[in-house]
Amino acid sequence: MAEDLGELLVPYMPTIRVPKSGDRVYKTECSFSYDSPESDGGLYVCMSTFLGFGREHVERHYRKTGQSVYMHLKRHIRLKATGASGGAFPKRINGRLFLELENNTDMNTEDYEYEDEAKLVIFPDHFEIPLPNIEELPALVTIACDAVLNSKSPYRKLDQESWEEELQVSKFANNLVQVDNGVRIPPSGWKCARCDLRENLWLNLTDGSIMCGRWFCSGNGGNGHALEHHKQMGYPLAVRLGSITPDGADVYSFDEEEAVVDLHLAKHLAHFGIDMLQMQRSESGVLDNEVKPRVNDWEVIQETGLKLKPVFGSGYTGIKNLGNSSYLTTVMQVIFSIPEFQRAYVGNLTRIFDYAPLDPTQDFSTQMAKLGHGLLSGLFSKPPMKSELIEQVMKEEHKPQLKGINTRMFKALMSKSHAEFSSNRQQDAEEFFLHFINLVERNSIGSENPSDVFRFLVEERTQCCQSRKVRYSQRVDYIMQMPVPMEAATNKEELIAYDLKRREAESAKRPLPEVVRAKIPFSACLQGFSEPENVPDFWSSALQAKSAGVKTSRFASFPEYLVVQIKKFTFGLDWVPKKLDVSIDMPDLLDINHLRATGLKSGEEELPDIAPPIIIPDDPKDWSRNHFMESPDIDESSVMQLAEMGFPLEACRKAVYYTGSMGAEVAFNWIIAHMEEPDFAEPLTIPGYGTVTSTSSHVQNALLNQPPEEIVALICSMGFPRNYAIQALRATNNNLERALEWMFSHPESEEEAANVSGYVDTENNGIITDGEQEGPRIKDGNGRYELFGIISHAGTSTMSGHYVCHIKKEGRWVIYNDHKVSASERPPKDLGYLYFYHRISC
């Protein structure tokens, strides 16, 4: 049998690879769908590219690449047999669980046992070889299979500075015994039970005792009373007071001697009257919204305490929180409630998947189509059926209810090369929205651009206060930013009284009074938006000198969908970011037609069109102030030799520069040694010169988004039309490798480019003229809108907290709180951060 298997695999041996350092192995998720080893059909991992495919998509990859050998992974989940021993961990069948899968299902792991199954499958005949099979398989195949099974997550950060330790689940959490001694923990005023320390305090989760932590060499910490208490009583887990938030807390296991995860932390804290959503004492451990006013923004935004009815089906799929990822999930839920985005990606799903590049995990359109289909198909939002549950029990098989879809692959692509979004920290939803729009723009050149619905023109009128002359200009924008005039609060007396009570409570270490937030009329915010603002360092062309200037903004066009941002986040006197706790009566119907721009009015005189004088710096080496420096000498012929081999152009330029222009062979060796570095393809930057390109014309090309002529010529030499080459380079930021992938994945654009004459006007330095393209597409119309989406933020700053979104669908409001999707009872229209309006007819 061993010889038969060896002979069977001989023709496929060149296509079976052993993963090496830097290879990403996708063994937990399909590249085109949210299928995983827990899905009915399992997951197929290509043994050459290490991409994962669900049963519906593996055939496409086989037809497209000819790759025949895949590893099929399947996890079976069954109810434990009656009388089976329990424990902190599920029973393991066949020795071990070799798939590192997250628990993405709504079930208690104590009640189920898992069995992981792996086998090699050879297409197209679907010949199966069970694994492990060391004796019968060739050594190379065995090594490759072991490497795939033991590979780490492709999303694990390689940068040590941004790497965060992955905490383990405590073995004591599932069966933790809690003493029913009537202890209730107040929301403030804590003190160690054995000394007077009020810092570094830990709450023992068994008996509710509060003790100080251990002393540190830095001179802070505590007297170690929490550890002493553990040694005396043996109670294993403690949580640090002050670290508790709705997202979790710092939990320490004395027996395991490390920080751990307590999967039942909310229940353990509720035993002592602590609600993770608010950190306030309650008699029952759960707040009753009918008894106590809901004033905490965490409660109001998440509609805590209300009996929310879950909703299922198309458009009602939740997204699992990956840890401070709610800024992304809320934005994408709103995005895919908009028909234009649904049509662009889900409507074109088959074409997008068929023309996807060889690595679909790095293709924007593919991952957008995948996410859109996951949210809109309803496949991952099905209510449990009683008949199905009975059938599962009879068969001892369990089909778990998913906790929403997992967006790790999508987040990895969206945050690529972005330091903040690639971290595990909470981010600003408004910043991510603009980042997302930028990605849509870059990846929609030559095809439908759904972000057109958000784009509008702003007319800025700048007036010189001394000469009274004006200048009108226009810019593109996507968000209407609304200021918050705190001085316009209608409940100033209540705010003063609350502030006095709060200070007294803090001084006496008593529980804080109920929050009173400022009530700001929406009309005051709208007035603040339309009022003139001072222009710092305004240079008047009429006076040929600096002068006082004021600027007024108006809408030169109204978008199809209007995004309104309430500017709640600001900086305190200590420059620490903070959030304005305000309530604004946002309208369901909004009319801003009175903000329509009028252009130059009768009697106004325009400022002369004269540019400020150019000041030449004293230090000519300062590239950031003097753009007339000559770039360092780089051998462009060596650069192009390397680029023809398929390496990124910027990497080739760096290789030639750092090897002293000693020839393509020496530069090639530099590329091989540095190609796994994260900034490998980033532009060459030299102190004193800034970002370096081959010639001064390249600086102009970059400013005009005109691809370098040598790259255009290189692509044209492969037989592609010139217009098509320019279109592809513009869509990929002038990256040769990505441009070629783009061209193969957008064949329909070649026909469009061939039909366009004079797409680039060389006499106009590469600028697209009016006769060639209209410029930014603007969907103008009337300024009457209706509210359909709200993204709210709970917390004190954008660096922390949690986002929730409410969307109006089928005439009712629906709350999307991570994986939980329910019919909303009280949408927080007055506490939102981003508001989404759609245009209505007059």
Side-chain angles (χ1 to χ4, degrees):
M1 181 65 180
E3 294 181 0
D4 294 341
L5 286 181
E7 293 177 2
L8 176 67
L9 290 171
V10 166
Y12 308 108
M13 293 296 286
T15 65
I16 299 177
R17 294 176 52 228
V18 178
K20 54 185 180 180
S21 177
D23 283 338
R24 293 179 297 231
V25 180
Y26 296 93
K27 62 178 183 179
T28 61
E29 182 183 350
C30 173
S31 300
F32 293 99
S33 71
Y34 292 96
D35 286 335
S36 72
E38 292 184 354
S39 302
D40 290 342
L43 191 74
Y44 295 82
V45 179
C46 174
M47 293 302 292
S48 178
T49 64
F50 311 118
L51 295 169
F53 303 97
R55 186 165 57 189
E56 295 183 2
H57 301 283
V58 64
E59 292 282 356
R60 178 192 293 108
H61 187 258
Y62 163 70
R63 293 193 302 268
K64 193 170 186 177
T65 64
Q67 172 62 26
S68 299
V69 183
Y70 297 83
M71 179 183 290
H72 182 250
L73 302 173
K74 182 73 176 79
R75 168 166 288 185
H76 302 278
I77 306 174
R78 299 185 181 91
L79 279 168
K80 283 186 178 179
T82 305
S85 58
F89 296 96
K91 178 181 176 182
R92 299 188 176 193
I93 302 178
N94 292 344
R96 67 190 180 107
L97 295 169
F98 48 74
L99 295 178
E100 296 180 3
L101 301 181
E102 295 183 359
N103 180 23
N104 193 37
T105 54
D106 189 14
M107 60 184 182
N108 188 338
T109 56
E110 286 186 288
D111 300 329
Y112 300 91
E113 57 188 13
Y114 307 111
E115 177 183 4
D116 289 344
E117 177 187 8
K119 54 191 174 186
L120 285 180
V121 179
I122 302 178
F123 281 69
D125 298 326
H126 292 265
F127 184 84
E128 298 180 354
I129 304 174
L131 297 175
N133 201 339
I134 300 176
E135 297 179 355
E136 299 181 1
L137 291 177
L140 175 64
V141 178
T142 300
I143 294 172
C145 291
D146 286 343
V148 169
L149 290 174
N150 294 310
S151 61
K152 298 297 182 182
S153 168
Y155 310 112
R156 185 178 180 179
K157 291 186 177 300
L158 301 178
D159 184 359
Q160 293 299 319
E161 293 183 0
S162 60
W163 181 80
E164 297 182 9
E165 182 180 5
E166 185 175 350
L167 300 181
Q168 300 298 315
V169 176
S170 173
K171 64 182 180 181
F172 300 103
N174 282 335
N175 301 311
L176 183 70
V177 177
Q178 293 187 282
V179 179
D180 190 10
N181 53 12
V183 172
R184 290 293 182 268
I185 307 301
S188 60
W190 311 304
K191 189 181 73 169
C192 177
R194 298 188 182 181
C195 64
D196 293 328
L197 286 180
R198 295 181 178 273
E199 296 179 351
N200 190 26
L201 299 178
W202 293 77
L203 169 68
N204 191 286
L205 290 175
T206 296
D207 63 356
S209 61
I210 297 177
M211 306 281 182
C212 59
R214 63 183 67 176
W215 181 84
F216 300 113
C217 297
S218 60
N220 57 11
N223 297 317
H225 289 144
L227 180 59
E228 289 182 11
H229 183 69
H230 162 70
K231 291 178 179 179
Q232 293 172 1
M233 307 301 297
Y235 300 151
L237 299 180
V239 59
R240 184 168 65 85
L241 293 175
S243 70
I244 304 171
T245 71
D247 297 323
D250 298 337
V251 180
Y252 186 81
S253 173
F254 295 105
D255 288 336
E256 294 163 293
E257 296 185 342
E258 63 178 349
V260 295
V261 173
D262 180 359
L263 295 178
H264 308 285
L265 181 59
K267 181 181 75 173
H268 293 156
L269 291 174
H271 180 81
F272 300 111
I274 299 176
D275 190 327
M276 286 178 63
L277 293 179
Q278 54 164 352
M279 274 296 294
Q280 288 184 349
R281 180 166 56 91
S282 63
E283 293 299 321
S284 63
V286 180
L287 280 187
D288 185 353
N289 64 289
E290 297 299 330
V291 177
K292 190 172 183 178
R294 296 162 57 245
V295 294
N296 186 288
D297 62 347
W298 287 92
E299 297 179 75
V300 179
I301 288 171
Q302 299 186 96
E303 302 191 49
T304 304
L306 297 176
K307 295 182 179 180
L308 303 180
K309 182 180 179 181
V311 291
F312 303 94
S314 175
Y316 299 111
T317 302
I319 302 177
K320 184 179 180 182
N321 194 324
L322 305 177
N324 290 329
S325 63
S326 56
Y327 69 92
L328 178 148
T329 60
T330 50
V331 169
M332 298 315 301
Q333 288 283 14
V334 176
I335 287 295
F336 276 110
S337 70
I338 297 174
E340 283 77 3
F341 281 89
Q342 296 175 2
R343 287 195 299 268
Y345 296 106
V346 183
N348 292 318
L349 181 137
T350 302
R351 181 185 62 81
I352 291 174
F353 283 179
D354 286 344
Y355 291 114
L358 294 180
D359 186 357
T361 67
Q362 302 302 304
D363 182 61
F364 180 84
S365 296
T366 301
Q367 294 308 309
M368 282 290 291
K370 170 184 172 179
L371 177 61
H373 182 261
L375 294 177
L376 300 175
S377 65
L379 295 175
F380 305 93
S381 179
K382 295 181 179 180
M385 303 291 291
K386 290 184 179 180
S387 58
E388 290 181 0
L389 293 175
I390 296 173
E391 183 180 355
Q392 290 171 22
V393 173
M394 296 297 292
K395 292 182 178 181
E396 294 188 350
E397 281 281 352
H398 180 73
K399 295 182 179 180
Q401 297 298 316
L402 292 177
K403 291 183 178 179
I405 59 178
N406 188 319
T407 58
R408 283 195 183 277
M409 189 177 293
F410 181 81
K411 184 177 185 293
L413 180 61
M414 294 299 102
S415 60
K416 189 177 180 181
S417 302
H418 195 290
E420 285 302 316
F421 295 141
S422 60
S423 73
N424 289 327
R425 296 183 292 272
Q426 188 63 277
Q427 304 296 331
D428 189 340
E430 180 260 351
E431 290 183 6
F432 176 76
F433 172 78
L434 292 177
H435 173 69
F436 168 76
I437 291 298
N438 181 43
L439 291 176
V440 175
E441 297 276 0
R442 284 169 47 186
N443 289 276
S444 297
I445 297 179
S447 58
E448 180 183 0
N449 185 354
S451 67
D452 290 345
V453 298
F454 294 120
R455 191 185 302 110
F456 60 92
L457 290 177
V458 177
E459 179 189 88
E460 293 184 340
R461 176 186 181 273
T462 307
Q463 183 175 35
C464 172
C465 295
Q466 189 170 344
S467 67
R468 311 303 296 175
K469 296 182 179 181
V470 297
R471 174 181 295 117
Y472 284 86
S473 60
Q474 288 187 346
R475 60 177 174 83
V476 173
D477 212 334
Y478 296 88
I479 292 182
M480 179 184 186
Q481 294 184 320
M482 200 83 76
V484 181
M486 296 298 293
E487 67 278 2
T490 59
N491 58 338
K492 293 179 181 178
E493 294 183 358
E494 295 179 40
L495 292 172
I496 295 173
Y498 164 73
D499 188 61
L500 181 61
K501 291 180 181 178
R502 181 181 59 81
R503 292 175 185 272
E504 291 176 351
E506 289 177 348
S507 300
K509 293 183 171 56
R510 297 196 308 267
L512 298 178
E514 294 179 358
V515 174
V516 176
R517 57 177 53 92
K519 296 180 180 179
I520 311 295
F522 173 75
S523 57
C525 299
L526 196 60
Q527 182 179 351
F529 172 83
S530 60
E531 287 181 347
E533 58 179 307
N534 292 325
V535 180
D537 295 326
F538 174 71
W539 187 85
S540 172
S541 59
L543 304 175
Q544 293 285 296
K546 285 189 177 182
S547 173
V550 293
K551 181 176 66 176
T552 307
S553 298
R554 292 289 185 270
F555 286 85
S557 68
F558 290 123
E560 189 74 21
Y561 288 83
L562 178 67
V563 184
V564 178
Q565 177 198 16
I566 304 299
K567 300 178 68 175
K568 291 184 174 183
F569 298 103
T570 181
F571 289 92
L573 297 177
D574 54 359
W575 287 98
V576 175
K578 68 175 185 178
K579 176 182 172 184
L580 301 177
D581 192 6
V582 296
S583 170
I584 301 175
D585 58 333
M586 295 295 292
D588 287 310
L589 298 177
L590 175 63
D591 190 339
I592 55 173
N593 278 302
H594 64 284
L595 296 178
R596 168 78 74 173
T598 59
L600 187 67
K601 301 182 184 67
S602 176
E604 289 183 332
E605 185 178 353
E606 287 190 275
L607 285 164
D609 190 12
I610 302 175
I614 298 176
I615 302 176
I616 300 177
D618 296 331
D619 183 5
K621 293 182 179 180
D622 187 355
W623 172 257
S624 64
R625 290 154 52 195
N626 184 0
H627 290 189
F628 301 100
M629 275 291 292
E630 293 183 1
S631 299
D633 186 27
I634 296 178
D635 182 7
E636 290 297 323
S637 61
S638 297
V639 172
M640 295 314 302
Q641 279 184 262
L642 296 170
E644 290 172 357
M645 299 179 189
F647 298 113
L649 182 66
E650 295 298 340
C652 301
R653 183 164 287 121
K654 285 199 290 189
V656 173
Y657 171 78
Y658 287 122
T659 55
S661 296
M662 297 178 64
E665 184 176 353
V666 179
F668 176 80
N669 294 331
W670 185 95
I671 287 178
I672 298 301
H674 296 80
M675 64 189 309
E676 292 189 3
E677 295 178 359
D679 61 345
F680 174 68
E682 296 297 317
L684 171 62
T685 303
I686 305 172
Y689 289 92
T691 301
V692 178
T693 52
S694 59
T695 64
S696 59
S697 65
H698 284 171
V699 177
Q700 298 174 3
N701 290 339
L703 293 173
L704 298 170
N705 196 25
Q706 170 71 355
E709 188 59 35
E710 63 267 27
I711 311 182
V712 177
L714 181 60
I715 296 178
C716 291
S717 67
M718 302 178 188
F720 294 104
R722 175 179 175 81
N723 295 342
Y724 189 36
I726 293 175
Q727 184 179 358
L729 287 167
R730 280 181 169 153
T732 57
N733 202 23
N734 296 338
N735 184 294
L736 176 61
E737 185 178 8
R738 288 177 54 210
L740 292 174
E741 285 190 5
W742 186 94
M743 296 168 82
F744 286 113
S745 61
H746 295 76
E748 73 284 354
S749 297
E750 182 174 5
E751 299 177 4
E752 296 176 5
N755 294 330
V756 176
S757 60
Y759 183 75
V760 175
D761 185 356
T762 55
E763 294 182 0
N764 290 323
N765 297 320
I767 299 176
I768 301 175
T769 62
D770 292 338
E772 296 153 353
Q773 186 167 313
E774 298 176 357
R777 289 185 287 268
I778 303 298
K779 296 189 175 183
D780 196 6
N782 77 83
R784 295 187 71 245
Y785 295 92
E786 182 179 3
L787 181 67
F788 79 94
I790 308 169
I791 293 180
S792 310
H793 176 269
T796 57
S797 78
T798 55
M799 297 184 297
S800 61
H802 181 63
Y803 286 96
V804 174
C805 75
H806 289 71
I807 304 175
K808 193 173 185 179
K809 291 187 175 182
E810 299 176 327
R812 63 177 177 179
W813 283 95
V814 179
I815 176 174
Y816 294 79
N817 188 0
D818 295 335
H819 65 277
K820 300 185 291 291
V821 182
S822 309
S824 173
E825 295 290 334
R826 301 178 189 171
K829 297 179 183 178
D830 60 329
L831 298 181
Y833 175 48
L834 295 177
Y835 293 85
F836 293 80
Y837 288 84
H838 65 84
R839 186 174 14 237
I840 57 178
S841 58
C842 294

